[in-house]
Structures are given as C-alpha cells and as structure tokens.
Amino acid sequence: MWLAQHYLTNNRNVEGLALVDWAIKYTGPSGMMSEQIDPEDGSPIGVDPLIWSHAELLQTLLLLP
C-alpha cells in the first residue's frame, strides 16, 4: 500500500488503483487481510488478521481521487 500511496500522491492513479485492487483481491472471505500473501498461490501467510494491513488499505483509499 505504500507504493500505491506513492503512485496516488504523484498523479499515477491507474497504477495506484491497480495495487488497491490487487490487495482487495487477496482479502479473505470475511474481508480480513493477512500480514503477507504467498506469491505462488495467494494464500495468507504470517499474522492473520493484521490490523496494520487494514489501516494501510484505508489510508490508501483516502487518497483516491
């Protein structure tokens, strides 16, 4: 989400929104987000749920035009 925030604050909205969509795609059925995502199969790894992930997603959504 930090990269998405960078894109959104530098008028690279298409790239920023693509990262937001990617993050939302990998939320669990209940909407919970884990600390990390397995790059092979997209399954959650690490702490699940992790409030930090949710907070950064919300911070990023606030930057959407």
Side-chain angles (χ1 to χ4, degrees):
M1 292 296 84
W2 293 339
L3 182 56
Q5 291 169 16
H6 169 75
Y7 286 154
L8 292 169
T9 56
N10 288 285
N11 296 318
R12 295 172 65 179
N13 297 335
V14 172
E15 294 157 292
L17 189 55
L19 290 174
V20 169
D21 289 341
W22 179 88
I24 291 171
K25 174 182 172 183
Y26 289 105
T27 60
S30 65
M32 295 290 119
M33 299 174 74
S34 66
E35 178 181 15
Q36 299 176 23
I37 297 168
D38 186 300
E40 304 265 329
D41 65 10
S43 64
I45 54 177
V47 179
D48 185 18
L50 184 70
I51 260 313
W52 184 263
S53 299
H54 295 86
E56 286 303 317
L57 176 61
L58 290 173
Q59 284 290 104
T60 306
L61 292 175
L62 291 173
L63 295 173
L64 291 175

